Amino acid sequence: MQEDFSSIQKWRLLLGKAAENPEDKTELSAEASAMDQCLGALYNQNDGQAGLGDSSPQLNRWLGDIRTYFPAPLVQIMQKDAFDRLGLEEMLLEPELLESLEPNVELLSTLLSLNKVIPEKTRETARLLVQKVVEELKRKLENPLRQAVKGALNRSVRNRRPRHNEIDWLRTIRLNLKHYQQSYKTVVPERLIGSGKKGQSLKEIILCVDQSGSMGSSLVYSSIFGAVLASLPALRSQMIVFDTEVVDLSAYMQEPVDLLFGTQLGGGTDINKALAYAQKSIRSPQNTTIVLISDLYEGGDSQALLQRLAQLKKTGVQLISLLALNDQGAPIYDRDMAQKFAQLGSPAFACTPQQFPRLIAAALEKKDIHHWLNQEGISPK
C-alpha cells in the first residue's frame, strides 16, 4: 500500500461496499478504488456484480492486481481464500495463472495435493514455484539444523577417559591451560578429553512422514530438513512417506524438489506398515531415532501398531511422534492414539520448524524428551 489513507477510507475498504452510506459516499482515491475492486471480487459475493469469474484472463488480472496493491503476506491469504471460497484449484492447472501466484508453503501443499492431475504444460511452472520456496526455506533452516546436529554428535561421543589414540589434544590443551607449568614450559593436563571411536558416532535418523491431506506443510518442511540431514556424513538418514502404502524416498533426500514431486497427498493411513518397513532397515537400535510425523489416525491394525511401538522402544530405538511440523500447530488428530503413545513413553506433540533442530539435537544426545518439552514450553497432547 503506497498511499496514507484516511481512517474513513480504511474502514470503507475493511467493511466493503455494503457498508457505504448511499447519502454520504466515501470518496476513494484511484489506488484505494483499485484495492476495493480486488477485495470486492473475492469477498463481496452477494452484490450481484462481484466475482472472479472463470476466465483465465480475468483471474490473471486479479492475481496481478493483488500483488501490486497488497504486501506478500496479505497476497498469500487472499490466494488461499480464493481457493477455499471460490473453488479455484483449477487456476493451478494453467501455467499463466500459476506464474502469477505468490509462492509459499501453503501453496506448495495445494500443489502437492494436485500433483497427479497437473498437466504436463504446467508441471515445469509448478516445479519452478516449488524450487523457489524450497530454496528460501533451506536458506533459513539449513544452518541451525547443521550446527545443532554437529554439536550434538560431538557431545554424544565425548570421552572423559580416552585412550592415547582417542585424545582430542586441542580441546584437552584448552581445558588445561590453567595448569601450565612455567618451570617445564608445558601444560600438565589434569583432565583428558577425547572422542569415541568412529563407529560409536554413527547415528541413524529415519523420517517417517504421513501423506494424508492434512500433512502438506509438514511434508514440505520434512523434505527440507531431510536434505540437510542427508548431507551430514556422520549420520545415516532415511525418508519414508506413507499412506496405505510405503514409499522409500531416501535416494531423493538431497533433491527435495524431486522428493516432493514423488509424494501424493491424500488417501488412507497405515502407520504400522510404515514403522515395520523402517524397522527392517535399522542397523543399530541404540543409535537410531525414528521421527514419525502423523496425525495418528491409524487405518491399519491399531493393536499391532502399539505392539510394534513397544517392541521398538524395548530394543532401544528412540521414537519421536510429531503431530505436525509447521508453524500452525497440530491439526485434528487421534487423541486416543496420542494418549496410548504417551503411555508407551512416546509423547505426541506439534513442533515448529524453528524448534526442530533443537529436538533432533536432544534426540541424538539421548536426552529425556519430557524434559526437552518442558524446556521448550511444549505441552504433549
Side-chain angles (χ1 to χ4, degrees), residues 12 47 56 61 69 93 102 107 159 164 167 185 194 250 256 270 291 324 331 371:
R12 168 62 181 78
D47 62 7
S56 294
R61 275 198 307 274
Y69 296 113
L93 307 183
E102 185 72 27
L107 174 60
N159 186 352
H164 185 270
I167 296 174
K185 298 188 182 301
S250 302
D270 195 330
V291 182
H371 179 65

Side-chain angles (χ1 to χ4, degrees), residues 242-378:
F242 66 94
D243 41 39
T244 54
E245 299 298 327
V246 179
V247 181
D248 191 335
L249 294 176
S250 302
Y252 299 96
M253 286 182 74
Q254 296 200 37
E255 299 293 339
V257 176
D258 291 334
L259 187 150
L260 287 169
F261 273 93
T263 64
Q264 176 60 57
L265 285 174
T269 308
D270 195 330
I271 305 171
N272 181 52
K273 184 184 285 188
L275 290 181
Y277 182 92
Q279 188 175 18
K280 290 178 182 178
S281 67
I282 293 173
R283 297 178 183 179
S284 173
Q286 294 288 340
N287 288 317
T288 299
T289 299
I290 296 177
V291 182
L292 172 67
I293 305 176
S294 172
D295 55 18
L296 298 184
Y297 281 107
E298 175 62 307
D301 189 332
S302 297
Q303 192 58 41
L305 168 60
L306 295 172
Q307 290 173 354
R308 190 173 303 281
L309 176 59
Q311 184 182 25
L312 286 167
K313 299 283 288 184
K314 187 175 181 180
T315 62
V317 172
Q318 186 169 30
L319 190 139
I320 295 173
S321 179
L322 297 184
L323 300 168
L325 176 56
N326 59 37
D327 290 307
Q328 288 76 50
I332 298 173
Y333 63 94
D334 189 324
R335 295 179 181 274
D336 181 59
M337 185 62 74
Q339 186 176 20
K340 290 176 179 176
F341 266 51
Q343 290 170 352
L344 290 170
S346 183
F349 55 95
C351 175
T352 69
Q354 290 70 36
Q355 292 167 322
F356 188 76
R358 298 193 293 274
L359 172 62
I360 292 299
L364 291 173
E365 294 183 64
K366 291 288 186 178
K367 290 184 176 179
D368 182 82
I369 294 301
H370 291 89
H371 179 65
W372 183 86
L373 290 170
N374 287 333
Q375 285 183 322
E376 294 288 326
I378 299 175

Side-chain angles (χ1 to χ4, degrees), residues 17-80:
K17 190 174 182 179
E20 193 172 68
N21 187 340
E23 298 178 0
D24 183 26
K25 288 189 176 182
T26 302
E27 289 292 333
L28 295 177
S29 66
E31 183 173 342
S33 180
M35 294 174 67
D36 188 48
Q37 289 179 24
C38 290
L39 293 166
L42 177 57
Y43 298 110
N44 297 341
Q45 291 298 297
N46 298 317
D47 62 7
Q49 297 178 341
L52 295 176
D54 56 4
S55 69
S56 294
Q58 189 168 343
L59 282 171
N60 207 13
R61 275 198 307 274
W62 182 78
L63 289 167
D65 286 345
I66 64 173
R67 295 180 73 168
T68 299
Y69 296 113
F70 299 93
L74 288 180
V75 170
Q76 294 171 11
I77 292 172
M78 293 173 75
Q79 287 176 178
K80 185 177 185 303

Side-chain angles (χ1 to χ4, degrees), residues 85-237:
R85 293 167 62 92
L86 308 178
L88 296 182
E89 284 85 356
E90 63 269 21
M91 69 197 300
L92 300 179
L93 307 183
E94 296 293 334
E96 64 273 14
L97 294 177
L98 199 54
E99 288 173 355
S100 301
L101 293 170
E102 185 72 27
N104 59 83
V105 173
E106 290 301 322
L107 174 60
L108 258 62
S109 300
T110 307
L111 278 174
L112 294 177
S113 69
L114 298 170
N115 186 9
K116 299 305 180 185
V117 298
I118 294 177
E120 199 58 39
K121 66 175 182 177
T122 310
R123 189 163 290 274
E124 186 55 35
T125 305
R127 286 184 67 88
L128 290 174
L129 279 178
V130 172
Q131 182 74 45
K132 183 176 180 179
V133 177
V134 164
E135 288 177 354
E136 183 179 342
L137 290 175
K138 197 172 180 184
R139 278 195 298 271
K140 294 178 181 178
L141 302 173
E142 179 173 15
N143 193 57
L145 180 60
R146 187 179 291 274
Q147 294 304 317
V149 169
K150 285 184 176 180
L153 291 175
N154 287 336
R155 289 187 293 272
S156 68
V157 298
R158 194 166 291 173
N159 186 352
R160 299 296 181 184
R161 300 181 64 183
R163 298 176 182 177
H164 185 270
N165 64 345
E166 296 172 349
I167 296 174
D168 185 327
W169 289 108
L170 183 59
R171 287 214 311 264
T172 296
I173 291 171
R174 284 177 179 170
L175 182 68
N176 292 278
L177 282 175
K178 60 184 176 182
H179 303 302
Y180 180 78
Q181 301 294 314
Q182 182 65 39
S183 57
Y184 294 103
K185 298 188 182 301
T186 189
V187 171
V188 177
E190 184 180 87
R191 210 163 107 201
L192 298 176
I193 300 296
S195 299
K197 298 176 182 178
K198 278 194 172 182
Q200 294 174 331
S201 66
L202 183 62
K203 303 288 185 178
E204 302 184 43
I205 294 181
I206 303 174
L207 299 178
C208 201
V209 189
D210 190 340
Q211 291 190 104
S212 59
S214 63
M215 306 305 293
S217 296
S218 297
L219 190 56
V220 172
Y221 283 114
S222 297
S223 72
I224 305 299
F225 287 125
V228 178
L229 293 172
S231 70
L232 298 172
L235 286 176
R236 177 176 177 257
S237 305

